[in-house]
Amino acid sequence: MTMKLTIKHLFRRGLAWQFRRRVPSDIRSIVGKSEWVVSLGDISQDRAVKLVAQHTAKTDRDITRARAELAGTLNEDDQDHIHVLAFDRAVQQAGGIVEAAGKFGNDFFAAVDAGLTARERQLLSNKTTMTAALERDQALYPVGMPKHQEIGFRGFVSVNGDLSIEDVKREHVMAFVLDCRRREMAEATIKRRIGALGAVVKRYDADHDIMRRNPFYGVQLRNAGPTKGDREPLTEEQVAELDEYLRSADGLLPRTRALLWLVRSSTLGPSEAGGLLPQDIVMDHEVPHVIVRPNELRGIKVRSRERVFPLVGPALEFADMLPAKTFGANTVSALLNKHIRKAVSDLSPKQSAYSLRHRMRDRLYEAGATPDQARYLMGHSSLSSHDRYGSSRPDLKKLSALVANAL
């Protein structure tokens, strides 16, 4: 006669074993379910018992983390559980209980400290982690650079662990910077990431009356490149070199040529031009044009950047090769800058593909554009009645003639 063995959280369903455990009611809103259920498969009972022990330990940790997230603090049972886990980890790392005794003696807490993970240290400290600080910041404040904020925080935590925001030091920031450089990230991008992280720390410190030097501020970056205000438009001689390159360069893919002509002949920035979908390119109209608007490839920073831009000159001539969506909206700048560097012999550090947009702004005013027309074509906000009262866009035929004169 076989003795029936009862193991907590272990159940039989047909031929397969299951791990099933009820989620405590106080943390269901955090976990997002009422029960953990894991199929263990058609395996031996001994193997199932071992797997259940592993899943029990994992869900124990999930319960601890969820309660800490919900309450912001740990109760004594949660703290004891973390201590036991850390001690077991320290013993395992030492190579066994005898080796651990030789290393730590009778100092249980020294062994616990050696076995704590970065996350467990944060839970025991009851301080606000970087991840929690980001979530708080996003709930309280509008974000100007959400992409850099999200990616920057993920990268920082992957390098340093989910530190308490109050414990972040310059050494952690520099470790993040070095990791970015190891991954060959542009210094200008690193600068934006650090700026986004530093802004969260600044707001957190201000809200909690914390007086300290912001560890993300004042980081010296090498050749971080010009800021938006430092950009210079291309000169007419440089544009002539670019035009010659676009007309005669061998090996230039047709879709790349079309994209370069579009940026050269419009106020579209690289990501706007690279983020067009077929429905954003309107050719069956008395004034062929492109529509800059949010789509599945890209968003729009501000509402005023949504606009219609007439296709004129080479941009219209090569428009049948658009959209160049295979480039992706966020990588198109690097592609365009590579070709502009090939085309222009004396490009300065303050000039790039985006400089063509700045040049077009100047040319529009030289061609007689009114402030409202120029602001509309650039996608700039305005205090005029055109923007305040939602009037229709400026006449597209007039805009087309204006752009033709600007070219």
Side-chain angles (χ1 to χ4, degrees):
M1 180 177 178
T2 303
M3 183 177 65
K4 183 178 180 181
L5 182 64
T6 301
I7 301 295
K8 195 174 182 180
H9 309 316
L10 179 62
F11 298 88
R12 187 86 172 183
R13 186 176 180 86
L15 297 177
W17 291 99
Q18 275 190 340
F19 168 81
R20 298 184 64 173
R21 183 177 187 182
R22 183 181 65 85
V23 177
S25 57
D26 62 318
I27 62 167
R28 287 179 185 175
S29 60
I30 301 296
V31 177
K33 62 179 73 175
S34 61
E35 187 179 28
W36 287 288
V37 180
V38 180
S39 176
L40 306 178
D42 183 9
I43 57 178
S44 69
Q45 182 170 287
D46 289 344
R47 176 62 177 157
V49 169
K50 291 180 181 179
L51 290 177
V52 162
Q54 295 174 11
H55 286 291
T56 298
K58 179 182 180 303
T59 51
D60 280 345
R61 293 191 294 271
D62 291 341
I63 291 171
T64 297
R65 284 192 290 265
R67 282 183 173 148
E69 182 177 347
L70 183 67
T73 59
L74 298 176
N75 59 38
E76 290 185 8
D77 288 341
D78 292 332
Q79 292 181 18
D80 289 343
H81 180 68
I82 288 180
H83 291 156
V84 170
L85 290 176
F87 179 81
D88 290 344
R89 193 179 297 119
V91 170
Q92 184 178 10
Q93 291 169 352
I97 191 66
V98 175
E99 290 79 4
K103 183 176 182 180
F104 302 109
N106 295 322
D107 194 341
F108 172 79
F109 287 103
V112 167
D113 188 65
L116 287 172
T117 66
R119 174 59 176 164
E120 288 168 345
R121 291 181 191 279
Q122 294 307 314
L123 288 172
L124 291 172
S125 72
N126 292 327
K127 294 181 179 179
T128 302
T129 65
M130 289 290 284
T131 299
L134 173 62
E135 293 172 353
R136 173 190 176 276
D137 192 83
Q138 290 175 332
L140 293 176
Y141 301 103
V143 179
M145 296 188 295
K147 179 184 74 173
H148 292 292
Q149 190 186 73
E150 290 278 358
I151 298 176
F153 264 80
R154 286 202 302 269
F156 184 88
V157 170
S158 70
V159 172
N160 296 292
D162 201 6
L163 297 171
S164 160
I165 191 170
E166 297 178 37
D167 292 337
V168 174
K169 296 181 174 59
R170 178 56 68 85
E171 64 191 73
H172 301 122
V173 178
M174 294 313 300
F176 171 63
V177 170
L178 292 174
D179 182 71
C180 291
R181 286 174 177 162
R182 180 184 59 79
R183 292 185 286 113
E184 299 183 350
M185 187 181 296
E187 294 287 303
T189 301
I190 299 174
K191 182 179 180 180
R192 287 192 289 270
R193 300 277 198 273
I194 290 176
L197 290 163
V200 173
V201 173
K202 178 182 178 180
R203 290 188 287 266
Y204 180 89
D205 287 356
D207 290 345
H208 294 83
D209 293 325
I210 298 173
M211 301 297 293
R212 60 165 169 166
R213 181 188 179 199
N214 192 319
F216 289 95
Y217 285 2
V219 176
Q220 297 299 312
L221 297 175
R222 57 193 184 206
N223 190 27
T227 63
K228 184 181 294 185
D230 294 331
R231 293 186 183 123
E232 294 178 354
L234 267 66
T235 66
E236 296 308 306
E237 292 77 11
Q238 290 173 324
V239 171
E241 283 188 275
L242 176 61
D243 290 353
E244 178 61 25
Y245 176 83
L246 293 178
R247 293 190 187 98
S248 60
D250 295 330
L252 187 60
L253 292 175
R255 61 176 182 267
T256 306
R257 197 186 307 271
L259 191 59
L260 279 161
W261 274 123
L262 176 60
V263 173
R264 182 278 186 235
S265 307
S266 71
T267 63
L268 272 67
S271 66
E272 291 175 333
L276 296 173
L277 291 175
Q279 58 267 33
D280 299 325
I281 302 162
V282 182
M283 302 299 294
D284 56 346
H285 190 278
E286 59 178 340
V287 180
H289 58 272
V290 295
I291 306 172
V292 180
R293 57 189 172 189
N295 58 38
E296 62 189 64
L297 290 180
R298 70 179 310 279
I300 294 291
K301 290 183 178 179
V302 291
R303 184 180 176 186
S304 62
R305 291 298 285 265
E306 296 185 35
R307 63 198 188 279
V308 170
F309 197 94
L311 292 170
V312 176
L316 176 60
E317 180 184 348
F318 289 90
D320 60 338
M321 295 306 302
L322 295 170
K325 66 177 183 178
T326 53
F327 297 129
N330 294 323
T331 59
V332 69
S333 289
L335 175 73
L336 299 188
N337 287 331
K338 180 184 74 172
H339 286 286
I340 290 174
R341 285 193 294 269
K342 287 182 179 179
V344 180
S345 58
D346 59 344
L347 203 68
S348 82
K350 295 184 178 181
Q351 293 175 316
S352 65
Y354 212 88
S355 298
L356 292 166
R357 172 174 157 81
H358 287 244
R359 172 186 178 273
M360 179 57 76
R361 176 200 57 197
D362 296 342
R363 296 287 294 175
L364 286 170
Y365 280 116
E366 291 172 8
T370 67
D372 273 351
Q373 288 173 325
R375 289 190 188 104
Y376 176 81
L377 290 172
M378 291 295 295
H380 289 164
S381 60
S382 169
L383 296 178
S384 73
S385 60
H386 168 77
D387 288 304
R388 284 202 306 268
Y389 299 108
S391 304
S392 59
R393 66 170 180 256
D395 182 82
L396 199 53
K397 288 184 179 180
K398 292 182 180 179
L399 292 181
S400 181
L402 181 63
V403 173
N405 289 333
L407 291 179

